Amino acid sequence: MADNASIARPYAKAVFDLAQETDSYESWTVALENLSAISQDESFSALVSDPRVDGSKVVELLTDLSKDSLPDGGENFVNLLVQNDRLLALDDIQQQFSELVAKAKALANAEVLTAIALTDDQKTSLTSALEARLGMKVVIEETVDASIVGGAIVKAGDLVIDGSAQGRIEKLTTTLMR
């Protein structure tokens, strides 16, 4: 949701700044993943949206459920989210925080959609080519989808390369229709 993405931006940046100051990227990553998973639970969502439930009880429940993973400042962060009614943005906060950490570590995640699984040599070659193009270390997440017929679709940040057979056919069709 676009609204949650824009709402999440300042929270993700604030947590990122705190994690950067205290060199606690990993602990904040784990904490945000846990908080995000909890916030997406239907029972928890129903509890949070119940007007009879006091915000302090929601904070207490969230901190109890994630106390093992909350770094310093985590309880204050949870309290702030509850006070400002921003628990629905936790998933977006977690995603944006991960992107900020990846950028700070000069690390890019590349989603690769292929018709058949890549061999180790192909993964190595693709990783090297993407690292050269993006100027940072690349981690590939591969998904196999036979519906693209052949080739691959690569998404790394703003970069999208559609080398699938389906994409090429669509491009050819568009060109011929002009």
Side-chain angles (χ1 to χ4, degrees):
M1 175 179 272
D3 290 336
N4 280 344
S6 59
I7 288 169
R9 195 168 294 114
Y11 292 94
K13 178 70 171 115
V15 171
F16 173 76
D17 291 343
L18 178 62
Q20 193 172 34
E21 287 174 15
T22 59
D23 194 28
S24 56
Y25 292 127
E26 301 306 318
S27 57
W28 273 105
T29 298
V30 170
L32 288 172
E33 286 171 353
N34 289 341
L35 289 169
S36 176
I38 293 168
S39 72
Q40 292 177 19
D41 181 72
E42 289 181 29
S43 303
F44 182 78
S45 296
L47 178 75
V48 169
S49 61
D50 189 338
R52 298 171 295 178
V53 177
D54 185 41
S56 63
K57 294 293 182 191
V58 174
V59 171
E60 187 179 320
L61 176 63
L62 261 177
T63 53
D64 283 347
L65 289 172
S66 56
K67 68 181 171 191
D68 293 337
S69 69
L70 281 180
D72 290 338
E75 192 169 335
N76 291 338
F77 174 69
V78 169
N79 192 29
L80 185 67
L81 290 176
V82 172
Q83 282 179 355
N84 294 330
D85 195 26
R86 299 298 191 228
L87 289 176
L88 293 177
L90 260 169
D91 189 47
D92 289 295
I93 293 169
Q94 183 265 323
Q95 289 174 359
Q96 290 184 24
F97 174 80
S98 295
E99 290 171 9
L100 289 169
V101 170
K103 201 176 280 185
K105 291 183 173 184
L107 179 69
N109 291 323
E111 299 172 24
V112 179
L113 183 65
T114 60
I116 57 172
L118 295 174
T119 65
D120 289 338
D121 288 343
Q122 290 171 325
K123 284 181 188 176
T124 302
S125 177
L126 181 59
T127 301
S128 297
L130 287 171
E131 286 175 350
R133 180 151 184 190
L134 297 173
M136 56 180 64
K137 184 162 175 44
V138 173
V139 176
I140 291 181
E141 297 173 24
E142 181 184 8
T143 305
V144 176
D145 181 1
S147 70
I148 67 167
V149 184
I153 300 172
V154 179
K155 297 178 185 175
D158 294 339
L159 175 69
V160 177
I161 302 169
D162 188 350
S164 67
Q166 182 180 13
R168 290 178 186 169
I169 291 169
E170 288 172 6
K171 230 183 263 181
L172 180 61
T173 302
T174 304
T175 304
L176 290 173
M177 300 284 274
R178 289 183 188 176

